[in-house]
Coordinates of all heavy atoms in Angstrom, one line a residue:
M1 N 93.0 60.1 37.2 CA 91.7 59.8 37.8 C 91.1 61.0 38.4 O 91.7 61.7 39.3 CB 92.0 58.7 38.9 CG 90.9 57.7 38.8 SD 90.2 56.9 40.1 CE 91.4 56.2 41.2
A2 N 89.9 61.3 37.9 CA 89.3 62.5 38.4 C 88.6 62.2 39.7 O 87.8 61.2 39.8 CB 88.3 63.0 37.4
R3 N 88.8 63.0 40.6 CA 88.1 62.8 41.9 C 86.7 63.4 41.9 O 86.5 64.5 41.4 CB 88.9 63.5 43.0 CG 90.1 62.7 43.5 CD 90.7 63.3 44.7 NE 89.8 63.1 45.8 CZ 90.0 63.7 47.0 NH1 91.0 64.6 47.1 NH2 89.2 63.5 48.0
R4 N 85.8 62.6 42.3 CA 84.5 63.1 42.4 C 84.3 64.2 43.5 O 84.9 63.9 44.6 CB 83.5 62.0 42.7 CG 83.3 61.2 41.5 CD 82.0 60.5 41.7 NE 81.6 59.8 40.4 CZ 80.5 59.0 40.3 NH1 79.8 58.8 41.4 NH2 80.2 58.5 39.2
P5 N 83.7 65.3 43.2 CA 83.5 66.2 44.2 C 82.6 65.6 45.3 O 81.6 65.0 45.0 CB 82.8 67.4 43.6 CG 82.3 66.9 42.3 CD 83.1 65.7 41.9
H6 N 83.1 65.9 46.5 CA 82.3 65.3 47.6 C 81.0 66.1 47.8 O 81.0 67.3 47.9 CB 83.2 65.5 48.9 CG 82.6 64.7 50.0 ND1 82.7 63.3 50.1 CD2 81.9 65.1 51.1 CE1 82.1 62.9 51.2 NE2 81.6 63.9 51.8
R7 N 80.0 65.3 47.8 CA 78.7 65.9 47.9 C 78.4 66.3 49.3 O 78.6 65.4 50.2 CB 77.6 65.0 47.4 CG 77.3 65.2 45.9 CD 75.9 64.9 45.6 NE 75.9 64.8 44.1 CZ 75.1 64.0 43.5 NH1 74.2 63.2 44.2 NH2 75.1 63.9 42.2
R8 N 77.9 67.5 49.4 CA 77.6 67.9 50.8 C 76.2 67.3 51.1 O 75.3 67.4 50.3 CB 77.5 69.4 50.8 CG 78.6 70.0 51.4 CD 78.2 71.4 51.8 NE 79.1 72.1 52.6 CZ 78.9 73.4 52.9 NH1 77.8 74.0 52.6 NH2 79.8 74.0 53.6
R9 N 76.2 66.8 52.3 CA 74.9 66.3 52.7 C 74.1 67.4 53.3 O 74.6 68.2 54.2 CB 75.1 65.2 53.8 CG 75.5 63.9 53.2 CD 74.4 62.9 53.4 NE 74.9 61.6 53.5 CZ 74.9 60.9 54.7 NH1 74.3 61.5 55.8 NH2 75.3 59.7 54.8
I10 N 72.9 67.6 52.8 CA 72.0 68.6 53.4 C 71.2 67.9 54.4 O 70.4 67.0 54.1 CB 71.2 69.3 52.4 CG1 72.1 70.0 51.3 CG2 70.2 70.3 53.0 CD1 71.4 70.2 50.0
P11 N 71.3 68.3 55.7 CA 70.5 67.7 56.7 C 69.0 67.9 56.5 O 68.6 69.0 56.2 CB 71.0 68.3 58.0 CG 71.7 69.5 57.6 CD 72.1 69.4 56.2
K12 N 68.3 66.9 56.6 CA 66.8 67.0 56.4 C 66.2 67.6 57.7 O 66.6 67.1 58.8 CB 66.2 65.6 56.1 CG 66.3 65.3 54.7 CD 65.6 64.0 54.4 CE 65.9 63.5 53.0 NZ 65.4 62.2 52.8
P13 N 65.3 68.4 57.6 CA 64.7 68.9 58.8 C 63.9 67.8 59.4 O 63.1 67.1 58.7 CB 63.7 70.0 58.3 CG 63.6 69.9 56.8 CD 64.8 69.1 56.3
K14 N 64.1 67.7 60.7 CA 63.5 66.6 61.4 C 62.1 67.0 61.9 O 61.9 68.0 62.6 CB 64.3 66.2 62.6 CG 65.4 65.2 62.2 CD 66.2 64.7 63.4 CE 67.4 65.5 63.6 NZ 68.1 65.2 64.8
G15 N 61.2 66.1 61.7 CA 59.8 66.3 62.3 C 59.2 67.6 62.0 O 58.4 68.1 62.7
N16 N 59.7 68.2 60.9 CA 59.1 69.5 60.6 C 58.4 69.5 59.3 O 58.8 70.0 58.3 CB 60.3 70.5 60.6 CG 59.9 71.8 61.2 OD1 58.7 72.1 61.4 ND2 60.9 72.6 61.6
K17 N 57.4 68.8 59.4 CA 56.6 68.7 58.1 C 56.1 70.0 57.6 O 55.6 70.9 58.4 CB 55.3 67.9 58.4 CG 55.4 66.4 57.8 CD 54.1 65.8 58.1 CE 53.7 64.8 57.1 NZ 52.4 64.3 57.4
P18 N 56.3 70.3 56.4 CA 55.8 71.5 55.9 C 54.3 71.6 56.0 O 53.6 70.7 55.6 CB 56.2 71.5 54.4 CG 56.6 70.1 54.1 CD 56.9 69.4 55.4
K19 N 53.9 72.7 56.6 CA 52.4 72.9 56.8 C 51.7 72.9 55.4 O 52.2 73.6 54.5 CB 52.2 74.2 57.5 CG 52.2 73.9 59.0 CD 51.9 75.2 59.7 CE 52.4 75.2 61.2 NZ 52.5 76.5 61.7
S20 N 50.6 72.3 55.4 CA 49.9 72.4 54.1 C 49.3 73.8 53.9 O 48.2 74.1 54.4 CB 48.8 71.3 54.1 OG 48.0 71.4 55.2
T21 N 50.0 74.6 53.4 CA 49.5 76.0 53.2 C 48.6 76.0 52.0 O 49.0 75.6 50.9 CB 50.7 77.0 52.9 OG1 51.7 76.3 52.1 CG2 51.3 77.4 54.3
R22 N 47.4 76.3 52.2 CA 46.5 76.4 51.1 C 46.6 77.7 50.4 O 45.9 78.6 50.7 CB 45.1 76.2 51.6 CG 44.7 74.7 51.8 CD 43.4 74.5 52.5 NE 42.3 74.8 51.6 CZ 41.8 73.9 50.8 NH1 42.3 72.7 50.8 NH2 40.7 74.2 50.1
S23 N 47.5 77.6 49.4 CA 47.6 78.8 48.6 C 46.5 78.8 47.6 O 45.8 77.8 47.4 CB 48.9 78.9 47.9 OG 49.0 77.8 47.0
K24 N 46.4 79.9 46.9 CA 45.3 80.0 45.9 C 45.4 79.0 44.8 O 44.5 78.4 44.3 CB 45.3 81.4 45.2 CG 44.4 82.4 46.0 CD 44.2 83.6 45.2 CE 43.3 84.6 45.9 NZ 43.1 85.8 45.1
A25 N 46.7 78.7 44.5 CA 46.9 77.7 43.4 C 46.5 76.3 43.9 O 46.2 75.5 43.0 CB 48.4 77.7 43.1
A26 N 46.5 76.1 45.2 CA 46.2 74.7 45.6 C 44.7 74.5 45.7 O 44.3 73.4 45.8 CB 46.8 74.5 47.0
I27 N 44.0 75.5 45.6 CA 42.5 75.4 45.6 C 42.0 75.1 44.2 O 42.4 75.6 43.3 CB 41.8 76.7 46.1 CG1 42.3 77.0 47.6 CG2 40.3 76.6 46.1 CD1 42.0 78.4 48.0
D28 N 41.1 74.1 44.2 CA 40.5 73.7 43.0 C 39.1 74.4 42.9 O 38.2 73.9 43.6 CB 40.3 72.2 43.0 CG 40.8 71.6 41.7 OD1 41.2 72.4 40.8 OD2 40.6 70.4 41.6
P29 N 39.1 75.5 42.3 CA 37.8 76.2 42.3 C 36.7 75.5 41.5 O 37.0 74.9 40.4 CB 38.1 77.5 41.6 CG 39.4 77.4 40.9 CD 40.1 76.1 41.4
E30 N 35.6 75.3 42.1 CA 34.5 74.6 41.4 C 33.2 75.3 41.4 O 32.3 74.9 40.8 CB 34.4 73.2 42.0 CG 34.4 73.2 43.5 CD 34.5 71.7 44.0 OE1 35.0 70.9 43.3 OE2 33.9 71.5 45.1
V31 N 33.1 76.4 42.1 CA 31.8 77.2 42.1 C 32.0 78.4 41.3 O 32.7 79.4 41.7 CB 31.4 77.5 43.6 CG1 30.1 78.2 43.6 CG2 31.5 76.3 44.5
P32 N 31.4 78.4 40.1 CA 31.6 79.6 39.3 C 30.7 80.7 39.8 O 29.6 80.5 40.3 CB 31.1 79.1 37.9 CG 30.3 78.0 38.1 CD 30.6 77.4 39.5
C33 N 31.2 81.9 39.6 CA 30.4 83.1 39.9 C 29.3 83.2 38.9 O 29.4 82.9 37.8 CB 31.3 84.3 39.8 SG 30.5 85.9 40.0
Q34 N 28.1 83.5 39.5 CA 26.9 83.5 38.6 C 26.6 84.9 38.0 O 25.5 85.0 37.4 CB 25.7 83.0 39.5 CG 25.8 81.5 39.7 CD 24.7 81.0 40.5 OE1 24.7 80.8 41.7 NE2 23.5 80.7 39.8
V35 N 27.4 85.8 38.2 CA 27.2 87.1 37.6 C 27.6 86.9 36.1 O 28.7 86.4 35.8 CB 28.0 88.2 38.2 CG1 27.9 89.5 37.4 CG2 27.6 88.4 39.7
P36 N 26.7 87.3 35.2 CA 27.0 87.1 33.8 C 28.4 87.7 33.4 O 28.8 88.8 33.8 CB 25.9 87.8 33.1 CG 24.8 87.8 34.0 CD 25.4 87.9 35.4
K37 N 29.1 87.0 32.6 CA 30.4 87.3 32.0 C 31.5 87.3 33.0 O 32.6 87.5 32.6 CB 30.3 88.7 31.4 CG 29.5 88.8 30.1 CD 29.6 90.2 29.5 CE 28.4 90.4 28.6 NZ 28.1 91.8 28.5
C38 N 31.2 86.9 34.2 CA 32.3 86.8 35.2 C 33.0 85.5 35.1 O 32.3 84.5 35.0 CB 31.8 87.1 36.6 SG 33.1 87.0 37.8
K39 N 34.3 85.5 35.1 CA 35.0 84.2 35.0 C 35.6 83.8 36.4 O 36.4 82.9 36.4 CB 36.1 84.3 34.0 CG 35.5 84.4 32.6 CD 36.6 84.2 31.5 CE 36.1 84.4 30.1 NZ 36.1 85.8 29.7
E40 N 35.3 84.5 37.4 CA 35.8 84.2 38.7 C 35.1 83.1 39.3 O 34.0 82.6 38.8 CB 35.7 85.4 39.6 CG 36.4 86.7 39.1 CD 37.9 86.7 39.3 OE1 38.3 86.2 40.4 OE2 38.6 87.1 38.5
F41 N 35.6 82.6 40.5 CA 35.0 81.6 41.2 C 34.4 82.0 42.5 O 35.0 82.9 43.1 CB 35.9 80.4 41.3 CG 36.1 79.6 40.1 CD1 37.1 80.0 39.2 CD2 35.2 78.6 39.7 CE1 37.3 79.3 38.0 CE2 35.4 77.9 38.5 CZ 36.4 78.3 37.6
A42 N 33.4 81.4 42.9 CA 32.7 81.9 44.2 C 33.0 80.9 45.3 O 32.3 81.0 46.3 CB 31.2 82.0 43.9
D43 N 34.0 80.1 45.2 CA 34.3 79.2 46.4 C 34.6 80.1 47.6 O 35.3 81.1 47.5 CB 35.6 78.4 46.0 CG 35.3 77.4 44.9 OD1 34.9 77.9 43.8 OD2 35.4 76.2 45.1
T44 N 34.2 79.6 48.7 CA 34.4 80.4 49.9 C 35.9 80.5 50.3 O 36.3 81.5 50.8 CB 33.7 79.7 51.1 OG1 33.8 78.3 51.0 CG2 32.2 80.0 51.1
E45 N 36.7 79.6 49.9 CA 38.1 79.7 50.1 C 38.7 80.9 49.3 O 39.7 81.4 49.7 CB 38.8 78.4 49.6 CG 38.6 77.2 50.5 CD 37.5 76.3 49.9 OE1 36.6 76.8 49.3 OE2 37.6 75.1 50.2
L46 N 38.0 81.2 48.3 CA 38.5 82.3 47.5 C 37.8 83.6 47.8 O 37.9 84.6 47.1 CB 38.3 82.0 46.0 CG 39.0 80.8 45.5 CD1 38.5 80.4 44.1 CD2 40.5 81.0 45.5
G47 N 37.0 83.6 48.9 CA 36.3 84.8 49.3 C 34.9 85.0 48.6 O 34.3 86.1 48.7
G48 N 34.5 83.9 48.0 CA 33.1 84.0 47.4 C 32.0 84.0 48.4 O 32.2 83.6 49.5
R49 N 30.9 84.4 48.0 CA 29.7 84.5 48.9 C 28.5 84.0 48.1 O 28.5 84.0 46.9 CB 29.4 85.9 49.4 CG 30.5 86.5 50.2 CD 30.7 85.8 51.5 NE 31.7 86.5 52.3 CZ 31.4 87.2 53.4 NH1 30.1 87.4 53.8 NH2 32.3 87.8 54.0
S50 N 27.5 83.6 48.9 CA 26.2 83.4 48.2 C 25.2 84.4 48.8 O 25.1 84.5 50.0 CB 25.8 82.0 48.4 OG 25.2 81.7 49.6
I51 N 24.5 85.1 48.0 CA 23.5 86.0 48.4 C 22.2 85.6 47.9 O 22.1 84.8 47.0 CB 23.9 87.5 47.9 CG1 24.0 87.5 46.4 CG2 25.3 87.9 48.6 CD1 24.2 89.0 45.9
A52 N 21.2 86.2 48.4 CA 19.8 85.9 48.0 C 19.6 86.4 46.6 O 20.1 87.4 46.2 CB 18.8 86.5 48.9
Y53 N 18.8 85.6 45.8 CA 18.6 85.9 44.4 C 18.0 87.3 44.3 O 18.4 88.1 43.4 CB 17.6 84.9 43.9 CG 17.3 85.1 42.4 CD1 18.1 84.8 41.4 CD2 16.1 85.8 42.1 CE1 17.8 85.0 40.1 CE2 15.7 86.0 40.8 CZ 16.6 85.6 39.8 OH 16.3 85.9 38.5
D54 N 17.0 87.6 45.2 CA 16.4 88.9 45.1 C 17.4 90.1 45.3 O 17.2 91.1 44.7 CB 15.3 89.0 46.2 CG 14.2 88.1 45.9 OD1 14.0 87.7 44.7 OD2 13.4 87.8 46.8
N55 N 18.4 89.9 46.1 CA 19.4 90.9 46.3 C 20.3 91.0 45.1 O 20.7 92.1 44.8 CB 20.2 90.5 47.5 CG 19.5 90.7 48.8 OD1 18.5 91.5 48.9 ND2 19.8 89.9 49.8
A56 N 20.5 89.9 44.5 CA 21.4 89.9 43.4 C 20.8 90.6 42.2 O 21.5 91.4 41.5 CB 21.8 88.5 43.0
I57 N 19.5 90.4 41.9 CA 19.0 91.1 40.7 C 18.8 92.6 40.9 O 18.6 93.3 40.0 CB 17.6 90.4 40.3 CG1 16.6 90.4 41.4 CG2 17.8 89.1 39.7 CD1 15.2 90.0 41.0
D58 N 18.9 93.0 42.2 CA 18.9 94.5 42.4 C 20.1 95.1 41.8 O 20.1 96.3 41.3 CB 18.9 94.7 43.9 CG 17.6 94.6 44.5 OD1 16.6 94.5 43.8 OD2 17.5 94.6 45.8
V59 N 21.2 94.3 41.7 CA 22.4 94.9 41.2 C 22.7 94.5 39.8 O 23.1 95.3 39.0 CB 23.6 94.5 42.2 CG1 24.9 95.1 41.7 CG2 23.3 94.9 43.6
W60 N 22.5 93.2 39.5 CA 22.7 92.7 38.2 C 21.4 92.1 37.7 O 21.0 91.1 38.2 CB 23.8 91.6 38.2 CG 25.1 92.0 38.8 CD1 26.0 92.8 38.3 CD2 25.5 91.7 40.1 NE1 27.0 93.0 39.2 CE2 26.8 92.3 40.3 CE3 25.1 90.9 41.2 CZ2 27.5 92.2 41.5 CZ3 25.8 90.7 42.3 CH2 27.0 91.4 42.5
D61 N 20.8 92.8 36.8 CA 19.5 92.3 36.4 C 19.4 91.1 35.5 O 18.4 90.6 35.1 CB 18.6 93.5 35.8 CG 19.4 94.4 34.9 OD1 20.6 94.0 34.6 OD2 18.9 95.5 34.6
N62 N 20.6 90.7 35.0 CA 20.5 89.5 34.2 C 21.1 88.3 34.8 O 21.8 87.5 34.2 CB 21.2 89.8 32.8 CG 22.5 90.6 33.0 OD1 22.9 90.9 34.1 ND2 23.2 90.8 31.9
I63 N 20.9 88.1 36.1 CA 21.3 86.9 36.8 C 20.5 85.8 36.3 O 19.3 85.9 36.2 CB 21.1 87.1 38.3 CG1 22.0 88.2 38.8 CG2 21.3 85.8 39.0 CD1 23.4 87.8 39.1
P64 N 21.1 84.7 35.9 CA 20.3 83.5 35.5 C 19.4 83.0 36.6 O 19.9 82.9 37.7 CB 21.3 82.5 35.0 CG 22.6 82.9 35.7 CD 22.5 84.4 35.9
E65 N 18.2 82.7 36.3 CA 17.3 82.3 37.3 C 17.7 80.9 37.7 O 18.1 80.1 36.9 CB 15.8 82.3 36.8 CG 15.1 83.5 37.2 CD 13.7 83.4 37.3 OE1 13.2 82.7 38.2 OE2 13.0 83.9 36.4
G66 N 17.5 80.6 39.0 CA 17.9 79.3 39.5 C 17.5 79.2 40.9 O 16.4 79.6 41.3
P67 N 18.4 78.7 41.7 CA 18.2 78.5 43.1 C 18.0 79.9 43.8 O 18.3 80.9 43.2 CB 19.4 77.8 43.7 CG 20.4 77.9 42.6 CD 19.7 78.1 41.3
R68 N 17.5 79.9 45.0 CA 17.2 81.1 45.7 C 18.5 81.9 46.1 O 18.5 83.0 46.5 CB 16.4 80.9 46.9 CG 15.1 80.2 46.6 CD 14.2 81.1 45.7 NE 13.9 82.4 46.4 CZ 13.5 83.5 45.7 NH1 13.4 83.4 44.4 NH2 13.2 84.6 46.3
R69 N 19.6 81.1 46.0 CA 20.9 81.8 46.4 C 21.7 81.9 45.1 O 21.8 81.0 44.3 CB 21.7 80.9 47.4 CG 20.9 80.4 48.6 CD 20.7 81.4 49.7 NE 21.8 82.2 50.2 CZ 21.6 83.2 50.9 NH1 20.4 83.6 51.3 NH2 22.7 83.9 51.4
V70 N 22.4 83.0 45.1 CA 23.3 83.3 43.9 C 24.7 83.3 44.5 O 25.0 84.0 45.4 CB 22.9 84.6 43.3 CG1 23.9 84.9 42.1 CG2 21.5 84.6 42.8
K71 N 25.6 82.5 43.8 CA 27.0 82.4 44.2 C 27.7 83.5 43.5 O 27.6 83.6 42.2 CB 27.6 81.1 43.9 CG 26.7 79.9 44.3 CD 27.1 79.5 45.7 CE 26.5 78.2 46.0 NZ 26.5 77.9 47.4
I72 N 28.4 84.3 44.2 CA 29.2 85.4 43.6 C 30.6 85.4 44.1 O 30.9 85.0 45.2 CB 28.6 86.8 43.8 CG1 28.3 87.0 45.3 CG2 27.3 86.9 43.0 CD1 27.9 88.5 45.5
C73 N 31.5 85.8 43.2 CA 32.9 85.9 43.6 C 33.2 87.0 44.6 O 32.3 87.9 44.8 CB 33.8 86.0 42.4 SG 33.6 87.5 41.5
R74 N 34.4 87.1 45.1 CA 34.7 88.1 46.0 C 34.6 89.5 45.4 O 34.1 90.4 46.0 CB 36.1 87.9 46.5 CG 36.5 88.8 47.7 CD 37.8 88.5 48.3 NE 38.9 88.6 47.3 CZ 40.1 88.4 47.6 NH1 40.5 88.1 48.8 NH2 41.1 88.6 46.7
T75 N 35.1 89.6 44.2 CA 35.0 90.9 43.5 C 33.6 91.4 43.4 O 33.2 92.6 43.7 CB 35.6 90.8 42.1 OG1 36.8 90.1 42.2 CG2 35.9 92.2 41.6
H76 N 32.7 90.5 43.1 CA 31.3 90.9 42.9 C 30.6 91.1 44.2 O 29.7 91.9 44.3 CB 30.6 89.9 42.0 CG 30.8 90.2 40.5 ND1 31.3 89.3 39.7 CD2 30.5 91.3 39.8 CE1 31.4 89.9 38.5 NE2 30.9 91.1 38.6
Y77 N 31.1 90.4 45.2 CA 30.5 90.6 46.5 C 30.7 92.0 47.0 O 29.9 92.7 47.5 CB 31.0 89.6 47.5 CG 30.4 89.7 48.9 CD1 29.1 89.4 49.1 CD2 31.2 90.2 50.0 CE1 28.5 89.6 50.4 CE2 30.7 90.3 51.2 CZ 29.3 90.0 51.4 OH 28.8 90.2 52.7
K78 N 32.0 92.4 46.8 CA 32.3 93.8 47.1 C 31.5 94.8 46.4 O 31.0 95.8 46.9 CB 33.8 94.0 46.8 CG 34.7 93.6 47.9 CD 36.1 94.1 47.6 CE 37.2 93.3 48.3 NZ 38.5 93.5 47.7
E79 N 31.4 94.5 45.1 CA 30.6 95.4 44.2 C 29.2 95.5 44.7 O 28.6 96.5 44.8 CB 30.7 94.8 42.8 CG 30.3 95.8 41.7 CD 30.3 95.2 40.4 OE1 31.4 94.6 40.0 OE2 29.3 95.2 39.7
W80 N 28.6 94.3 45.1 CA 27.3 94.2 45.5 C 27.1 95.0 46.8 O 26.1 95.8 47.0 CB 26.9 92.8 45.7 CG 25.5 92.6 46.3 CD1 24.3 92.8 45.7 CD2 25.3 92.2 47.7 NE1 23.3 92.6 46.6 CE2 23.9 92.2 47.8 CE3 26.1 91.8 48.7 CZ2 23.3 91.8 49.0 CZ3 25.5 91.5 49.9 CH2 24.1 91.5 50.1
K81 N 28.0 94.8 47.7 CA 27.9 95.5 49.0 C 28.0 97.0 48.8 O 27.2 97.8 49.4 CB 29.1 95.1 49.9 CG 28.6 94.2 51.1 CD 29.7 93.6 51.8 CE 30.3 94.5 52.9 NZ 31.3 93.8 53.6
K82 N 28.8 97.4 47.9 CA 29.0 98.8 47.6 C 27.7 99.4 47.0 O 27.3 100.5 47.5 CB 30.2 99.0 46.7 CG 30.7 100.4 46.6 CD 31.9 100.5 45.7 CE 32.3 101.9 45.4 NZ 31.4 102.5 44.3
S83 N 27.2 98.7 46.1 CA 26.0 99.3 45.4 C 24.8 99.3 46.4 O 23.9 100.1 46.3 CB 25.7 98.5 44.2 OG 25.3 97.2 44.5
K84 N 24.8 98.3 47.3 CA 23.8 98.3 48.4 C 23.9 99.6 49.2 O 22.9 100.2 49.5 CB 24.0 97.1 49.3 CG 23.3 95.8 48.7 CD 21.9 96.1 48.5 CE 21.1 94.9 48.2 NZ 19.8 95.2 47.7
K85 N 25.1 99.9 49.6 CA 25.3 101.1 50.4 C 24.9 102.3 49.6 O 24.2 103.2 50.2 CB 26.8 101.2 50.7 CG 27.1 100.7 52.1 CD 28.5 101.1 52.5 CE 29.0 100.2 53.6 NZ 30.5 100.0 53.4
D86 N 25.3 102.4 48.4 CA 24.9 103.5 47.6 C 23.4 103.7 47.5 O 22.9 104.8 47.6 CB 25.4 103.4 46.1 CG 27.0 103.5 46.1 OD1 27.5 103.9 47.2 OD2 27.6 103.2 45.1
D87 N 22.7 102.5 47.4 CA 21.3 102.5 47.3 C 20.7 103.2 48.6 O 19.8 104.0 48.5 CB 20.8 101.1 47.2 CG 20.4 100.8 45.8 OD1 20.9 101.5 44.9 OD2 19.7 99.8 45.6
E88 N 21.2 102.7 49.7 CA 20.7 103.2 51.0 C 20.8 104.7 51.1 O 19.9 105.3 51.6 CB 21.4 102.4 52.1 CG 20.7 101.1 52.4 CD 21.5 100.2 53.2 OE1 22.3 100.7 54.1 OE2 21.5 98.9 53.0
T89 N 22.0 105.2 50.8 CA 22.2 106.6 50.9 C 21.3 107.4 50.0 O 20.8 108.4 50.3 CB 23.7 107.0 50.7 OG1 24.2 106.2 49.7 CG2 24.5 106.8 52.0
E90 N 21.0 106.8 48.8 CA 20.2 107.5 47.9 C 18.7 107.5 48.4 O 18.1 108.5 48.2 CB 20.2 106.7 46.6 CG 20.6 107.5 45.4 CD 20.7 106.7 44.1 OE1 19.6 106.4 43.6 OE2 21.8 106.4 43.7
W91 N 18.3 106.5 49.0 CA 17.0 106.4 49.5 C 16.7 107.2 50.7 O 15.6 107.7 50.9 CB 16.6 104.9 49.7 CG 16.3 104.2 48.5 CD1 17.1 103.4 47.7 CD2 15.0 104.3 47.7 NE1 16.5 103.0 46.6 CE2 15.2 103.5 46.6 CE3 13.8 105.0 47.9 CZ2 14.2 103.3 45.6 CZ3 12.8 104.8 46.9 CH2 13.0 104.0 45.8
S92 N 17.7 107.3 51.6 CA 17.4 108.0 52.8 C 17.5 109.5 52.7 O 18.1 110.0 51.8 CB 18.3 107.5 53.9 OG 19.6 107.7 53.5
Ligands
ZN1 ZN1 32.0 87.6 39.8

């Protein structure tokens, strides 16, 4: 008769609900970045921003026309900010 190995009971943590950590994977991105050819998402949870259309076309001239605000992903927001700065230094 083979003895079954005694299973160790792992005590469950009491009242310690795992915090709902909103990792990137948990976010369901639904706002696409409006910069042409960009496949990122512009959800605010992901660091996306919306900027004025007029500002956007200063940097990317082929932004599809639409609402007055353009949703851009974090990467493009950085890019936009950077090019804005470059502009300013050039002009002054
Ligand atoms: Zn983008």
Side-chain angles (χ1 to χ4, degrees):
M1 225 214 308
R3 281 189 69 191
R4 282 201 171 177
H6 193 74
R7 266 208 198 150
R8 257 201 175 175
R9 282 247 211 111
I10 300 157
K12 277 186 188 166
K14 276 186 263 175
N16 222 343
K17 252 184 151 184
K19 272 181 200 162
S20 54
T21 40
R22 275 172 75 86
S23 66
K24 269 192 179 180
I27 298 166
D28 226 2
E30 45 188 29
V31 185
C33 175
Q34 285 180 264
V35 175
K37 287 181 201 155
C38 182
K39 291 193 181 87
E40 303 277 324
F41 286 92
D43 294 56
T44 38
E45 288 98 329
L46 300 171
R49 299 291 185 108
S50 80
I51 60 172
Y53 179 81
D54 293 340
N55 289 333
I57 52 168
D58 280 350
V59 182
W60 307 284
D61 39 9
N62 43 357
I63 295 279
E65 264 207 70
R68 302 298 299 158
R69 313 279 314 166
V70 178
K71 310 270 191 195
I72 52 170
C73 65
R74 187 172 63 177
T75 316
H76 274 123
Y77 181 67
K78 275 192 204 159
E79 196 181 307
W80 172 73
K81 250 169 86 175
K82 196 174 166 283
S83 68
K84 276 300 192 197
K85 258 193 207 148
D86 291 351
D87 261 19
E88 273 162 35
T89 36
E90 239 176 72
W91 281 98
S92 57

